[in-house]
Amino acid sequence: MHLTKEEQLMLDGEKGEAKQTAMEILTALGKIYNAEKMIPVASAQIAGVSYKTIGDAGLEYLQEMVSKKAKISIPTFLNPAGMDTEQWKNLGIPEDFAKKQMAVLDAYSSMGITMSATCTPYLAGLRPGQGEHIAWAESSAVAFANSVLGARTNREGGPGALSAAITGVTPYYGLHLNENRIAKVIVKIEADLKTENDFGAMGYYIGKAVGRNYPAFTGIKADEDELKLLGAAMAASGAVPLFYAEGLTPEFKVAEDAEEISFTEKELRETKEMLDAKEKPDLVTLGCPHASISEIEYVIDLINKKGKPTVKFWICVSRAVKETAVEKGYNKIIQENNGILVADTCMVVCPLEEMGYRITGTNSGKAAKYLPNLCKQKVAFGNIEDILYREEK
Ligand code: F3S
């Protein structure tokens, strides 16, 4: 693998121990994937932030990097942590968990990382441009950045993303190369997608159907929030880091011999049926991926029309979006109507199962996929109106 003089100095330890460790990780990755060189990246986004997912081993690794004086060299955001750093007590997060979580965040903070713990950095001030090389880790953020923004990133693991943040480079392979960004499956949408959870359900179905292939959707009408839900679900049920949507994504590259599949009313209906336990949730969690201001406004409009939701709800957001919501007076309206804007974390990476919840409502295909296994929850899957006002079925 060709290294520049600077990269070689890092690998040789001339730039300090942390950069050496980081470069060792990156060159090892580069060799596995046959990368010919490193490519500079404009930003990093790091997974492995919730204490629930990384545990003591992850915390020790981070503290070791801190002891090696690790510092980031490019703008870097974090994935959601295991709790809202301001409201964790009110939300019922166990004290022991909170202590460990703060230690994880302290380690990242001492490396100079922006304390923005979100899976939607692109809604919180870190929005890459088309063709920009980045090193992001969170699967839904990777899908959004590659597809909707036309940036270039592989789905980095936690150590790979951190190493890129420290060195400013990543191995040049996979989705950094134009020739690899080709869809091999065309998805003809023949279903009438009416509400946001329809995009979650379609993503869940298509992610499973295409596995590691990249799908290209035709006949699709969607806004950015719906593409966000679609990409997140495909990344969760399959391993889809890139998709195209005709007329909506900046690129649309399809292989000549691409297979064609259809997504009809039948698949839509059956997927929604399968994901929904058809029970009244004891908590509704919106914002998977983290909600935009327009998604919060949608909930407020609904409350204005239908009154206070019949169930307690969270809207998970980045802290940046929460600050905007506070300025606009939305936080107060949400709080007066059974809801909380929860920042820094989400329904899947917080210890929901330890907080007394059993049935969680979601409109997200990704959350519906993970809540049963990672949080021991039954899932009430539906559109926002359905799950916020659901009665016993
Ligand atoms: Fe984000 Fe958590 Fe969903 S990280 S994409 S809100 S599972």
Side-chain angles (χ1 to χ4, degrees), residues 79-80 119 138 140 232 287-290 316 345-349 364 366-367 370:
N79 226 15
C119 49
E138 208 290 310
S140 72
C288 172
H290 279 175
C316 299
T345 186
C346 81
M347 64 300 281
V348 169
V349 298
S364 159
K366 175 171 178 177
Y370 287 132

Side-chain angles (χ1 to χ4, degrees), residues 2 12 14 28 30 34 37 43 57 90 95-96 111 119 142 158 265 277 284 289 294 337 358 363 369-370:
H2 171 76
D12 294 342
E14 299 293 325
N34 283 325
K37 61 175 186 175
S43 66
N90 295 347
E95 187 118 20
D96 287 356
M111 295 180 203
C119 49
V142 165
E265 290 295 339
V284 165
S294 54
N337 286 282
R358 218 172 41 87
N363 60 347
K369 157 91 182 154
Y370 287 132

Side-chain angles (χ1 to χ4, degrees), residues 85-375:
T85 55
E86 290 176 3
Q87 305 182 99
W88 62 270
K89 268 200 184 141
N90 295 347
L91 290 168
I93 299 283
E95 187 118 20
D96 287 356
F97 181 92
K99 257 195 204 146
K100 298 275 193 176
Q101 183 61 72
M102 286 316 294
V104 172
L105 291 172
D106 287 348
Y108 281 127
S109 169
S110 73
M111 295 180 203
I113 294 171
T114 308
M115 285 294 103
S116 187
T118 179
C119 49
T120 57
Y122 47 87
L123 298 178
L126 190 65
R127 196 172 169 99
Q130 188 178 349
E132 196 167 286
H133 293 275
I134 56 176
W136 285 17
E138 208 290 310
S139 66
S140 72
V142 165
F144 191 93
N146 273 320
S147 316
V148 182
L149 303 178
R152 271 123 179 80
T153 180
N154 291 313
R155 185 186 172 190
E156 300 287 347
L162 181 58
S163 300
I166 291 169
T167 60
V169 297
T170 196
Y172 189 48
Y173 74 96
L175 290 173
H176 289 286
L177 300 167
N178 284 341
E179 65 260 34
N180 293 333
R181 300 172 62 88
I182 312 281
K184 296 240 170 74
V185 183
I186 296 172
V187 182
K188 271 178 75 181
I189 302 178
E190 290 167 3
D192 186 11
L193 304 170
K194 294 196 188 77
T195 49
E196 80 294 342
N197 66 314
D198 287 354
F199 287 86
M202 179 167 77
Y204 187 98
Y205 179 89
I206 297 295
K208 273 191 157 177
V210 302
R212 291 188 172 271
N213 282 316
Y214 312 143
F217 291 88
T218 60
I220 182 168
K221 289 193 195 96
D223 62 21
E224 196 175 291
D225 290 327
E226 290 161 341
L227 292 176
K228 168 165 82 77
L229 278 158
L230 173 66
M234 289 192 292
S237 68
V240 176
L242 167 69
F243 65 92
Y244 295 126
E246 198 175 20
L248 300 177
T249 51
E251 296 167 288
F252 192 84
K253 295 182 199 150
V254 181
E256 276 177 14
D257 59 349
E259 179 199 345
E260 195 170 297
I261 59 173
S262 296
F263 183 78
T264 68
E265 290 295 339
K266 178 175 176 286
E267 285 83 32
L268 178 61
R269 189 181 56 250
E270 286 175 358
T271 307
K272 290 202 290 189
E273 283 274 321
M274 185 264 299
L275 293 176
D276 186 14
K278 298 179 190 62
E279 290 189 51
K280 182 177 165 75
D282 25 62
L283 173 73
V284 165
T285 56
L286 306 173
C288 172
H290 279 175
S292 63
I293 280 292
S294 54
E295 288 174 300
I296 297 172
E297 286 169 345
Y298 179 87
V299 173
I300 290 176
D301 284 349
L302 197 60
I303 289 171
N304 288 337
K305 260 191 256 146
K306 296 202 59 162
K308 197 175 195 162
T310 53
V311 60
K312 189 156 101 174
F313 68 99
W314 294 0
I315 306 180
C316 299
V317 287
S318 62
R319 194 150 288 284
V321 165
K322 176 157 182 183
E323 278 163 15
T324 308
V326 169
E327 273 167 31
K328 287 177 177 277
Y330 297 162
N331 191 37
K332 193 163 170 285
I333 300 172
I334 297 290
Q335 278 177 342
E336 287 165 354
N337 286 282
N338 246 351
I340 307 179
L341 289 180
V342 174
D344 317 317
T345 186
C346 81
M347 64 300 281
V348 169
V349 298
C350 77
L352 210 55
E353 66 284 10
E354 291 177 39
M355 295 158 69
Y357 299 113
R358 218 172 41 87
I359 308 170
T360 296
T362 180
N363 60 347
S364 159
K366 175 171 178 177
K369 157 91 182 154
Y370 287 132
L371 282 167
N373 290 340
L374 298 180
C375 304

